[in-house]
């Protein structure tokens, strides 16, 4: 009898951890860990992991944990589709967080998640195509993003450029969905507001040299270069532009807000470099994230591209899973807008705030997560609206010099449409 009791006790000890592990809910991450957008994806993956750590330490989903299965898209759409397909068909994940760049997120959505009914949340894909897919009924309502559309950012960038006296620009842009759409929106607004575009030069990624593109862009005697790119290719292009005699004045997109880019080009060449980014309204979540992210991430700065909004993507997914009470895609899809909806009790980032949120959810009370990038809500296409941060590179540091509110951008867009 004693032997039987001992054996039963040992078996119980072996089974208990396995049972606990069985109730974990796996969330897929498809991030650009390598390739031109690798810097974004590495920061984003760490941010999601931090959000899930905080959520799990707060209690998780009835004691069960959220765990990640992270895959590298290599900044390539076809690779991303293969990885997302494995996550959905083999791992049966209810949610995929990613990609970071639009040329990764769009094929995941159109080839995998929309058809499967699996929720997809992108922290940083800003292409207007994603809105158009929703408007055309091609997303099955599963897509959300924690960044504003480039349809708005292009308008904000046009106004900011002219405010800085940049009235005659050449454009070099990455030849993908993100770059093409950003330039289309920017050019329409910039020219309507009185600016002159001297040339538009697309480029293909991962070339060793961009001297020919830089040379072509100099036609028409531009005063500055609008560079729509990513840090690695962008630095190569900027160096080619400078060495070819191009003016050392730049307008940059949000992803060029990067220490890697500044170091590769040289700070002394970028003192008249201006840019726009999807902005933030600081909250208690912002303070928490900036105080804790660098130590958690192993040295990645909290202002790294996509870091802040990736934490929010992870937090919103986690709270939605808690509200759904299970890893069911349809229930999570319905819960995502509800955990950020107006009228709920405000909760912020971090273990203690997530514990508060979980208690409210358990009691059937509404919550409103106000994240690192500020309060957000989702429209019927999974888009958010918000302010834009206006910045300039000064002595090698990206410095915020102003903000353009969502209302101001809407006014400019309305004037452009007249």
């Amino acid at each position: 009898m004693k032997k039987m009791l001992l054996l039963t006790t040992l078996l119980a000890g072996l089974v208990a951890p396995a049972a606990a592990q069985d109730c974990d809910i796996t969330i897929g991450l498809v991030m650009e860990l390598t390739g031109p957008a690798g810097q974004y994806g590495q920061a984003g993956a760490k941010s999601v992991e931090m959000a899930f750590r905080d959520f799990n330490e707060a209690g998780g989903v009835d004691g069960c944990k959220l765990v990640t299965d992270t895959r590298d898209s290599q900044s390539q759409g076809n690779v991303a589709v293969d990885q997302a397909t494995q996550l959905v068909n083999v791992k049966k994940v209810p949610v995929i967080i990613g990609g970071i760049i639009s040329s990764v997120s769009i094929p995941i959505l159109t080839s995998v998640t929309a058809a499967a009914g699996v929720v997809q949340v992108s922290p940083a894909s800003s292409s207007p195509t994603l809105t158009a897919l929703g408007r055309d009924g091609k997303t099955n309502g599963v897509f959300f993003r924690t960044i504003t559309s480039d349809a708005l950012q292009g308008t904000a960038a046009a106004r900011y450029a002219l405010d800085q006296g940049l009235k005659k620009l050449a454009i070099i842009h990455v030849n993908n969905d993100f770059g093409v759409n950003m330039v289309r929106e920017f050019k329409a607004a910039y020219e309507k507001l009185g600016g002159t575009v001297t040339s538009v030069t697309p480029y293909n990624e991962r070339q060793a040299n961009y001297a020919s593109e830089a040379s072509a862009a100099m036609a028409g005697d531009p005063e500055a270069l609008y560079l729509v790119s990513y840090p690695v290719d962008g630095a190569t292009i900027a160096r080619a532009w400078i060495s070819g005699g191009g003016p050392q004045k730049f307008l940059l997109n949000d992803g060029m807000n990067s220490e890697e880019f500044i170091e590769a080009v040289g700070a002394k060449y970028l003192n008249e470099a201006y840019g726009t980014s999807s902005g933030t309204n600081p909250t208690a979540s912002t303070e928490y994230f900036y105080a804790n992210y660098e130590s958690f991430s192993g040295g990645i700065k909290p202002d790294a591209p996509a870091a802040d909004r990736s934490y929010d993507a992870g937090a919103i997914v986690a709270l939605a899973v808690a509200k759904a009470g299970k890893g069911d895609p349809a229930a999570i899809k319905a819960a995502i807008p509800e955990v950020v909806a107006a009228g709920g009790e405000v909760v912020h980032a971090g273990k203690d705030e997530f514990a508060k949120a979980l208690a409210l959810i358990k009691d059937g009370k509404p919550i409103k997560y106000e994240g690192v990038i500020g309060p957000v809500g989702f429209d019927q296409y999974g888009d958010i609206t918000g302010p834009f941060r206006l910045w300039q590179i000064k002595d090698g540091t990206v410095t915020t010099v102003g903000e353009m509110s969502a209302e101001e951008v809407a006014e400019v867009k309305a004037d452009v449409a007249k």
Side-chain angles (χ1 to χ4, degrees):
M1 180 62 73
K2 287 181 179 179
K3 289 181 179 180
M4 182 65 72
L5 287 172
L6 179 60
L7 180 59
T8 302
T9 302
L10 288 171
L11 287 172
L14 291 171
V15 171
Q21 192 175 26
D22 286 346
C23 81
D24 288 348
I25 298 171
T26 300
I27 304 298
L29 269 65
V30 180
M31 293 288 192
E32 288 70 275
L33 303 179
T34 58
Q39 185 182 27
Y40 309 158
Q42 292 167 29
K46 282 294 183 183
S47 294
V48 175
E49 290 170 12
M50 180 176 169
F52 284 7
R53 178 207 64 178
D54 293 343
F55 177 79
N56 290 333
E57 290 182 354
V61 184
D62 292 329
C64 299
K65 295 181 178 181
L66 294 186
V67 297
T68 60
D69 187 329
T70 303
R71 307 295 179 92
D72 181 12
S73 74
Q74 301 175 28
S75 302
Q76 298 179 56
N78 60 334
V79 176
V81 167
D82 288 344
Q83 297 296 345
T85 299
Q86 291 178 36
L87 287 168
V88 169
N89 292 344
V90 179
K91 300 301 288 284
K92 306 296 183 183
V93 300
V95 179
I96 286 179
I97 299 178
I100 294 290
I101 57 176
S102 300
S103 56
V104 163
S105 292
I106 291 170
I108 292 175
L109 178 62
T110 56
S111 299
V112 185
T113 54
V118 168
V119 173
Q120 182 180 346
V121 181
S122 170
S125 294
S126 52
S127 171
T129 296
L130 290 158
T131 305
L133 287 168
R135 190 181 297 118
D136 294 343
K138 296 179 179 179
T139 69
N140 203 14
V142 301
F143 183 78
F144 303 86
R145 53 179 162 177
T146 51
I147 191 170
T148 47
S149 167
D150 285 333
L152 300 176
Q153 186 177 172
T155 302
R159 176 75 273 168
Y160 184 44
L162 291 167
D163 288 346
Q164 301 311 306
L166 305 179
K167 298 179 180 179
K168 191 178 179 184
L169 288 171
I171 299 174
I172 298 178
H173 69 88
V174 59
N175 191 22
N176 62 18
D177 187 89
F178 154 67
V180 169
N181 279 290
M182 175 73 98
V183 169
R184 184 185 66 231
E185 298 292 338
F186 171 84
K187 188 172 183 290
Y190 184 69
E191 292 179 337
K192 189 68 180 286
L193 293 170
T196 299
V197 174
T198 58
S199 63
V200 177
T201 306
Y203 78 86
N204 295 319
E205 298 176 67
R206 303 186 187 194
Q207 295 177 206
N209 186 287
Y210 290 104
S212 60
E213 286 84 354
S215 178
M218 290 179 198
D221 195 26
E223 299 171 347
L225 173 65
Y226 183 27
L227 180 54
V228 180
S229 185
Y230 308 118
V232 176
D233 286 344
T236 306
I237 293 167
R239 290 196 301 267
W241 172 268
I242 293 165
S243 64
Q248 293 172 25
K249 292 184 179 181
F250 299 91
L251 182 68
L252 304 169
N253 64 289
D254 52 348
M256 304 300 285
N257 176 352
S258 161
E259 289 183 3
E260 181 183 6
F261 170 74
I262 296 169
E263 290 174 2
V265 175
K268 66 181 180 180
Y269 301 112
L270 296 171
N271 282 319
E272 290 189 82
Y274 306 89
T276 56
S277 296
S278 185
T280 64
N281 288 317
T283 67
S285 297
T286 316
E287 183 178 349
Y288 166 79
F289 182 78
Y290 270 70
N292 293 279
Y293 176 74
E294 188 170 355
S295 61
F296 176 84
S297 66
I300 302 175
K301 301 290 186 183
D303 61 354
D308 51 4
R309 56 202 68 252
S310 293
Y311 184 97
D312 287 344
I316 290 167
V317 166
L319 294 171
V321 174
K323 186 168 181 60
K326 54 187 175 180
D328 177 68
I332 295 168
K333 179 179 80 170
I336 283 179
E338 295 178 3
V339 299
V340 295
E345 186 166 342
V346 172
V347 296
H348 294 107
K351 173 186 173 182
D352 293 342
E353 286 291 300
F354 288 160
K356 172 184 170 184
L358 290 171
L360 290 166
I361 290 171
K362 188 175 182 179
D363 291 341
K365 296 178 180 178
I367 64 168
K368 177 175 175 57
Y369 172 70
E370 292 191 351
V372 182
I373 65 170
V376 301
F378 296 105
D379 67 12
Q380 67 268 42
Y381 308 123
D383 281 343
I384 64 169
T385 59
F388 285 91
R389 183 164 67 94
L390 311 177
W391 47 270
Q392 179 181 357
I393 298 173
K394 294 181 179 179
D395 299 321
T397 300
V398 176
T399 303
T400 299
V401 297
E403 183 178 280
M404 194 177 299
S405 70
E407 292 75 21
E408 289 173 314
V409 177
E411 287 177 11
V412 174
K413 199 163 184 64
D415 288 342
V416 169
K418 289 178 181 177

